[in-house]
Amino acid sequence: MKTKLHLLILSFAILLLSGSCNKQGKNTPPEDKMTEKKIDALLRQMTLEEKVGQMNQYSGWVDTTGPNFGDKNIFEEIKKGWVGSVLNITGTENVRMIQHMAVDCTRLHIPLIFGLDVIHGYRTIFPVPLAEACSWDLEAIEQGARIAATEASSAGINWTFAPMVDIARDPRWGRIMEGAGEDPYLGSLVAAARVKGFQGNDLSADNTIVACAKHYAAYGAAEGGRDYNTVDISERTLRDVYLRPFKAAAEAGCGTFMNSFNEIGGIPSTGNSHLLRDILKCEWNFRGFVVSDWGSVGEMINHGVAANKADAAALAATAGCDMDMESRCYREELVNLVRQGKVDMKYIDDAVRRILRIKFQLGLFDDPYRYCNPEREKNLILHPDHLKAAKEMAIKSMVLLRNEGNILPLKKSGQTIALIGPLAASKDDMIGGWSALGQGNDAVSLYEGLTAKLGNASRIVYARGCGIAEENRTGFQEAINAVRKADVILLAMGESRHMSGEASSRACIDLPGVQEDLIKEIIKLGKPTVLVLFNGRPLVIPWIAEHVPAILEAWFPGIRGGEAIADILFGDAVPSGKLVTTFPHSIGQIPLYYNHKNTGRPYSPDSYYTSRYLDETNDPLFPFGYGLSYTTFAYSGLQLSDSVMTGNKPLTVTVTVTNTGNYDAEEVVQLYVRDMVGSVTRPVKELKGFKKVPIKKGESVKVSFTLTEADLRFYDINMNFVSEPGEFRVYAGGNSRDVLEGSFWLK
Ligand code: GLC
């Protein structure tokens, strides 16, 4: 009996060590077994060189999204079978030409997979992902990804490096723009929605593309908010916060992951077998493949964990990084490393199996030119239905931060409107960063949106006033003259599209340049003033938030942004967005997020010895979940179906929401929970549910949520993912601050 048990333990250990963790067998769907047989047959034919070729990815010429590591003859490399994938090559003609080299000129005719950063649209550009998340509309988010996949796949692309699912608590970090904000619960739902949107129900269909959850992992926790910087967090924080959206993406069937540039606690993600093998490939049973980020294999030399490219290649391949994007370390070193016995062939076979599996699932072996139909490309790109959806998402994603005296919505006729600011007439900035094949010329600026809506009904006097990040004030006078002539002032201010995204961290996150100075001059004139903000991150705007009566957060609203903003400003749409990232009062408060710990000395105005600043509040300027409407909502009657939750009996939480204003509108009703006592410290609030609910003016609706024991689980003192009996508080409201409170006990 003992021998049998030992054998069982030994075989599991070998399975784990083999790095495959492919739990084949009884639970593998029949079609996968057919694919696995085809992969087995192909692997048996492949030389070591051909296998390493599959693990090598080069960038093409349509875009360059990373540093240049020297010239390569990509065509010759493909024909010799040294390339498994290319990125940044698009268009059915280009893709057909390149695919031909792989399929017709190589010995085994293995097709390439074509990747591109289709982050928030291919040519029909949607609002940036941070904006989309502020819609809290998962169906609309999934639809946006579906449309992006439809257009990208019509242009030869079958793999997107999205969704970016990094939790971000530091707005200095430019890549906060690419994700879904600071909350793991919302981030997980958005991750799954985007994966489903990109991948659809059938990866082999010609309008679906394989997704890529990135950047695995904890890239958003970079010290100082500085891109690529050091991350040092506990395993508990890693799992409770940063890994949750990645797990959700894996559970949604995401076909690929991209490892991040950063280290975690001294180990770069590219060479982190705990992250790539123990958690992703074994614990989560992930059967797709991991691609490195651009050059990140070779960058382990800079990290100081590899002395040279050979060390870096060995470390990455052994740890579970299956494909090397652009560093050439695998291409130049892996064959020798295997021949010298320094890298076990099993890691190569596992990586190639995973890559081939995705290529089979995409249908590329059945028809390598499936994504090369010029008719589809012509008919689908910039389709009117896509443009309409992009506008609708823009409307849903905007957040009304202030509306003192109900200045908004504005009257459409009989007014002179001064339109001031460097973003007023900008088309380029509407599409934000990471906008794939998006073109500024396709976009509608705010100026164009206003003129299209108002025609001659009102007069628009435009003055740029100043640049985005320049110190030049010579345009101030023209702006002030325009303001003097006007009944109402529309300010279009913020960041340029290049001030967020990759390698775009900012140490100072107020309005750049002299924009705030111009606002102060204009406010002195005492006219009704509305600020429309264009930005890719929360900004530090305390003076503006106090003195500008109406503020609409438009983010980078995409290809129909100007029209969407005009609809909201003039009441043809009612704002319904809610913040997914905290706006701090000052940069000194960062990191500042709603689901923080209580500490042993939580802030108290009655105590000197308390967690606070001498010179700043602890409170945010605008909290997570915050957003106004043109109407108002009142919350009442928070009720729980029981005061005790037993293991398998869920609780129902109900709250009444009344539309107490003059507009039919939508409200994002939010449910938070607090675990009062745990074996480890627990956040003061955690989002556990939300519903975006249409409520007619004067109406009251009861909104119910189901809470289960599983919703209360976390990593306990022993790192077990469990719930613990005890008291829980429940909160319901229209943001994370202004809430009704209840409580229950978990037995
Ligand atoms: C970039 C980014 C990553 C992107 C990749 C390919 O460096 O970090 O998000 O997908 O390279 O463009």
Side-chain angles (χ1 to χ4, degrees):
M1 182 57 186
K2 242 185 177 174
T3 323
K4 222 175 177 183
L5 182 64
H6 283 160
L7 273 175
L8 196 65
I9 292 167
L10 184 63
S11 57
F12 185 69
I14 290 167
L15 181 71
L16 267 182
L17 287 173
S18 76
S20 70
C21 282
N22 271 342
K23 295 169 186 165
Q24 291 293 327
K26 62 182 185 312
N27 63 344
T28 305
E31 68 282 3
D32 280 4
K33 283 182 185 157
M34 183 62 76
T35 301
E36 298 308 303
K37 285 192 185 327
K38 291 176 183 172
I39 295 170
D40 290 339
L42 199 44
L43 278 170
R44 282 193 293 271
Q45 299 173 63
M46 293 171 80
T47 64
L48 174 56
E49 288 77 2
E50 286 164 335
K51 290 177 181 177
V52 169
Q54 287 302 305
M55 299 168 71
N56 179 41
Q57 181 187 54
Y58 284 141
S59 176
W61 57 85
V62 168
D63 193 358
T64 302
T65 49
N68 184 338
F69 295 120
D71 293 339
K72 73 243 174 198
N73 186 329
I74 187 169
F75 296 163
E76 285 313 305
E77 288 281 279
I78 291 170
K79 289 174 189 170
K80 289 175 184 166
W82 281 112
V83 186
S85 168
V86 293
L87 71 145
N88 297 335
I89 287 180
T90 64
T92 49
E93 276 183 42
N94 285 333
V95 170
R96 179 177 288 278
M97 171 187 71
I98 300 279
Q99 189 70 294
H100 157 70
M101 293 175 194
V103 169
D104 301 317
C105 306
T106 63
R107 188 175 75 91
L108 292 173
H109 317 295
I110 299 174
L112 297 168
I113 179 171
F114 289 81
L116 187 76
D117 294 283
V118 186
I119 311 296
H120 53 108
Y122 174 77
R123 179 79 187 275
T124 298
I125 303 302
F126 278 66
V128 292
L130 188 64
E132 288 186 308
C134 289
S135 72
W136 295 59
D137 184 331
L138 299 173
E139 281 178 22
I141 289 169
E142 181 174 340
Q143 183 199 28
R146 182 89 297 279
I147 288 169
T150 301
E151 291 196 359
S153 60
S154 78
I157 296 301
N158 31 60
W159 180 21
T160 178
F161 304 124
M164 185 274 213
V165 302
D166 299 304
I167 295 294
R169 293 170 159 175
D170 190 329
R172 293 171 294 182
W173 190 50
R175 304 201 78 165
I176 194 170
M177 174 273 284
E178 301 172 45
E182 70 192 46
D183 181 73
Y185 174 85
L186 177 65
S188 299
L189 292 171
V190 170
R194 286 187 170 137
V195 168
K196 289 171 194 158
F198 288 129
Q199 298 193 164
N201 299 318
D202 174 7
L203 264 190
S204 69
D206 64 4
N207 66 347
T208 59
I209 57 180
V210 66
C212 181
K214 73 183 187 183
H215 306 77
Y216 186 66
Y219 185 21
E223 286 176 1
R226 199 159 65 245
D227 207 357
Y228 316 120
N229 203 9
T230 305
V231 171
D232 202 346
I233 55 178
S234 68
E235 176 85 4
R236 177 170 292 107
T237 300
L238 175 67
R239 285 183 175 268
D240 266 339
V241 178
Y242 293 94
L243 289 190
R244 282 173 56 189
F246 286 101
K247 189 164 191 284
E251 287 168 350
C254 190
T256 69
F257 270 49
M258 180 184 291
N259 67 244
S260 58
F261 289 115
N262 57 282
E263 69 165 78
I264 301 175
I267 305 173
S269 301
T270 314
N272 188 330
S273 61
H274 176 58
L275 214 49
L276 300 177
R277 290 203 188 283
D278 301 344
I279 297 176
L280 178 61
K281 294 179 176 180
C282 289
E283 198 177 309
W284 297 352
N285 188 28
F286 173 68
R287 302 177 63 234
F289 71 85
V290 175
V291 63
S292 78
D293 203 338
W294 185 294
S296 71
V297 173
E299 287 173 5
M300 287 198 284
I301 300 168
N302 295 338
H303 275 291
V305 293
N308 50 48
K309 283 188 167 187
D311 283 359
L315 183 55
T318 306
C321 174
D322 302 307
M323 184 179 280
D324 170 13
M325 180 190 289
E326 265 292 327
S327 90
R328 289 74 186 283
C329 294
Y330 283 9
R331 166 67 178 86
E332 296 168 8
E333 305 293 346
L334 260 189
V335 169
N336 290 337
L337 285 164
V338 172
R339 293 228 162 95
Q340 294 158 8
K342 293 179 180 173
V343 170
D344 194 311
M345 187 62 157
K346 67 185 176 189
Y347 296 127
I348 307 299
D349 284 339
D350 181 56
V352 177
R353 172 181 295 283
R354 291 169 178 273
I355 294 165
L356 294 176
R357 181 178 291 142
I358 293 297
K359 291 185 176 182
F360 272 106
Q361 288 175 1
L362 282 166
L364 288 170
F365 280 94
D366 296 335
D367 175 6
Y369 304 104
R370 166 161 310 187
Y371 298 83
C372 299
N373 175 343
E375 276 308 300
R376 284 191 72 235
E377 187 174 23
K378 189 157 59 59
N379 298 334
L380 289 172
I381 287 181
L382 292 177
H383 189 283
D385 292 350
H386 300 172
L387 298 172
K388 181 169 175 287
K391 177 181 173 182
E392 286 165 1
M393 172 51 90
I395 288 170
K396 292 176 177 184
S397 64
M398 292 180 199
V399 184
L400 183 60
L401 297 176
R402 226 182 163 224
N403 192 18
E404 287 306 306
N406 292 322
I407 287 184
L408 293 174
L410 301 172
K411 285 192 305 183
K412 291 179 182 171
S413 58
Q415 296 217 83
T416 297
I417 298 169
L419 177 62
I420 310 290
L423 275 302
S426 171
K427 295 163 75 74
D428 254 1
D429 290 306
M430 295 302 104
I431 61 177
W434 284 116
S435 45
L437 276 293
Q439 294 175 20
N441 272 341
D442 296 337
V444 175
S445 68
L446 176 54
Y447 184 85
E448 291 167 331
L450 294 177
T451 47
K453 179 169 285 294
L454 301 178
N456 300 320
S458 279
R459 180 171 165 243
I460 297 173
V461 181
Y462 164 64
R464 190 164 188 264
C466 65
I468 292 176
E470 296 136 27
E471 295 307 312
N472 185 326
R473 298 160 188 262
T474 54
F476 277 30
Q477 194 52 54
E478 183 197 12
I480 288 164
N481 295 344
V483 167
R484 287 206 169 98
K485 296 174 199 164
D487 305 307
V488 66
I489 318 304
L490 265 185
L491 305 175
M493 307 268 187
E495 298 178 316
S496 80
R497 63 188 285 241
H498 305 295
M499 298 175 87
S500 55
E502 185 172 0
S504 304
S505 297
R506 293 179 66 203
C508 175
I509 54 172
D510 54 14
L511 277 184
V514 295
Q515 296 180 70
E516 185 157 343
D517 296 340
L518 177 56
I519 293 175
K520 288 178 178 172
E521 292 307 313
I522 289 171
I523 288 296
K524 286 177 189 168
L525 302 174
K527 301 264 178 111
T529 303
V530 178
L531 168 63
V532 181
L533 272 178
F534 298 90
N535 42 304
R537 57 163 54 84
L539 296 176
V540 168
I541 52 169
W543 186 90
I544 290 169
E546 190 182 336
H547 295 89
V548 178
I551 303 172
L552 179 68
E553 175 56 80
W555 307 108
F556 292 113
I559 195 168
R560 286 294 175 269
E563 289 176 8
I565 298 168
D567 277 9
I568 286 187
L569 290 177
F570 293 93
D572 291 332
V574 177
S576 62
K578 300 276 187 177
L579 295 178
V580 296
T581 52
T582 300
F583 271 58
H585 256 286
S586 64
I587 201 147
Q589 295 174 303
I590 292 170
L592 187 69
Y593 47 94
Y594 89 92
N595 45 359
H596 59 80
K597 300 300 186 64
N598 202 34
T599 79
R601 292 191 175 179
Y603 175 68
S604 159
D606 309 325
S607 165
Y608 177 82
Y609 299 100
T610 184
S611 177
R612 63 182 165 118
Y613 301 100
L614 293 177
D615 55 356
E616 182 57 276
T617 173
N618 286 6
D619 296 333
L621 182 64
F622 300 112
F624 174 84
Y626 178 86
L628 300 176
S629 172
Y630 289 155
T631 192
T632 47
F633 296 102
Y635 284 73
S636 60
L638 179 63
Q639 286 180 333
L640 281 71
S641 56
D642 203 325
S643 59
V644 174
M645 181 194 283
T646 51
N648 54 6
K649 184 168 170 277
L651 270 189
T652 301
V653 182
T654 304
V655 66
T656 300
V657 188
T658 303
N659 181 335
T660 50
N662 303 315
Y663 290 84
D664 296 349
E666 289 186 297
E667 169 71 333
V668 180
V669 182
Q670 300 155 47
L671 176 75
Y672 298 87
V673 162
R674 179 180 180 179
D675 184 348
M676 296 309 289
V677 178
S679 56
V680 293
T681 59
R682 309 285 296 113
V684 296
K685 277 196 186 86
E686 294 179 280
L687 182 69
K688 294 294 181 186
F690 62 87
K691 288 184 177 177
K692 190 159 191 175
V693 185
I695 309 176
K696 293 190 181 312
K697 61 186 176 190
E699 249 194 17
S700 288
V701 295
K702 283 187 182 298
V703 181
S704 294
F705 301 91
T706 299
L707 262 183
T708 66
E709 174 272 329
D711 294 324
L712 308 177
R713 293 178 191 166
F714 64 99
Y715 284 90
D716 72 357
I717 188 79
N718 301 310
M719 288 305 288
N720 297 315
F721 190 61
V722 294
S723 61
E724 294 176 342
E727 183 190 3
F728 288 79
R729 298 281 163 83
V730 176
Y731 307 97
N735 63 65
S736 59
R737 178 189 62 201
D738 312 311
V739 291
L740 298 180
E741 181 177 328
S743 68
F744 68 93
W745 283 79
L746 174 66
K747 291 292 180 200

